Amino acid sequence: MRITNQREIILEELRRLKTHPTADELYEVVKKRLPRISIATVYRNLERLSEAGIIHKLEYGGRQKRFDGDVRPHSHVFCVRCGRISDVDTVEGLSVRAMVLDPKGFEIIEGSLQFEGICPECQKGNSLTTN
Amino acid sequence: MRITNQREIILEELRRLKTHPTADELYEVVKKRLPRISIATVYRNLERLSEAGIIHKLEYGGRQKRFDGDVRPHSHVFCVRCGRISDVDTVEGLSVRAMVLDPKGFEIIEGSLQFEGICPECQKGNSLTTN
DNA sequence: GTATTAAATAGTAATCATTATCAAAAAGGA
DNA sequence: TCCTTTTTGATAATGATTACTATTTAATAC
Ligand SMILES: [Mn+2]
Ligand SMILES: [Mn+2]
Ligand SMILES: [Zn+2]
Ligand SMILES: [Zn+2]
């Protein structure tokens, strides 16, 4: 995978943000540094980078995908009101894989804890988007 | 919520299927009993029923939503190749909620274990759909 | 049983996030 | 510099879901 200016800045900005942005949220941020970049380039690179395991694609909540520049194993909580995602600190050293009794023939690649809740913003009643 | 014929049969067929069908998969099944039903009715009722907590909406994998007539707490594994979802048996009596150290201000509604893997069909190389 | 009215349906159009396409530009050698 | 491959920007196409609306149905009152 070539190192293009666009790719580098997309990755840099994603890693800087701790918000798990959607493609278009990240596009708005990247556009400040690369005003001529195309939204398609953002989508394309997020896809390429996640295939390569350099970033993570988060597919909770059914509408827009979100992205995470932090690929270390960790858990997320998803806001059912607005779709925001936050990291959640969980007890150390738990093996989710080891909790499986019967994988029903699936070859399990990975396991994680997942949470749903209401984010601080939405608790205040600022449910701007409906996911 | 009124009990209409369509609503009743949609729920009945969803509960019968153990496959966590998509809206259109369920539509094909329901159509055998109600040949004049509209796909919009299936979508509408799946939405209503899941809002009411009578069924569960599963939003893994970023593409089509899947639905589960079994609302008892249990874990799922999602096939990264084809999108199929299966129940997974996990160790009894684990409180996922209790594993949270810092919810980062979120009011947590529920937690679950989630797995990704390759389903038996896709292991045989029959990856019909690409999720 | 018939009338009333609120809710649900069928059929279809609209939405919108994402993916595909393709000519032009850039990267990375030879 | 020249050549080949990859990437980009712009835009069209896709596809799952949601919105719309005239018509029908369910539930209730009479
Ligand atoms: Mn994260
Ligand atoms: Mn299930
Ligand atoms: Zn929120
Ligand atoms: Zn599969």
Side-chain angles (χ1 to χ4, degrees), chain A residues 7 95 106 122:
Chain A
R7 191 163 286 161
S95 171
F106 276 65
C122 288

Side-chain angles (χ1 to χ4, degrees), chain B residues 118-131:
Chain B
I118 315 285
C119 77
E121 285 302 309
C122 289
Q123 285 174 41
K124 288 179 213 145
N126 310 335
S127 190
L128 300 170
T129 50
T130 315
N131 174 235

Side-chain angles (χ1 to χ4, degrees), chain B residues 5-128:
Chain B
N5 208 230
Q6 289 90 331
R7 190 163 287 164
E8 209 167 13
I9 290 176
I10 287 166
L11 180 56
E12 221 170 273
E13 292 300 322
L14 177 61
R15 283 182 172 158
R16 205 173 50 74
L17 292 169
K18 302 301 172 199
T19 55
H20 310 86
T22 61
D24 61 295
E25 283 169 358
L26 188 57
Y27 170 63
E28 290 304 323
V29 171
V30 167
K31 217 164 43 169
K32 289 173 189 163
R33 293 177 62 186
L34 295 171
R36 309 223 37 190
I37 199 173
S38 165
I39 182 74
T41 301
V42 176
Y43 273 105
R44 206 187 306 113
N45 279 299
L46 289 172
E47 192 56 38
R48 296 284 321 269
L49 291 166
S50 71
E51 274 169 18
I54 298 167
I55 66 172
H56 271 171
K57 184 166 29 163
L58 307 176
E59 308 186 289
Y60 299 60
R63 282 185 102 67
Q64 293 169 82
K65 292 170 188 166
R66 291 179 172 272
F67 296 87
D68 197 341
D70 183 359
V71 292
R72 293 170 302 179
H74 62 283
S75 299
H76 291 118
V77 57
F78 166 78
C79 178
V80 295
R81 296 254 176 86
C82 72
R84 266 184 275 248
I85 289 177
S86 173
D87 292 343
V88 168
D89 293 345
T90 52
V91 292
E92 308 267 324
L94 46 78
S95 171
V96 179
R97 285 287 301 269
M99 297 174 186
V100 177
L101 294 178
D102 181 359
K104 304 285 177 64
F106 275 66
E107 181 191 305
I108 290 180
I109 297 166
E110 69 166 317
S112 62
L113 299 183
Q114 203 162 96
F115 299 91
E116 287 187 2
I118 315 285
C119 77
E121 285 302 309
C122 289
Q123 285 174 41
K124 288 179 213 145
N126 310 335
S127 190
L128 300 170

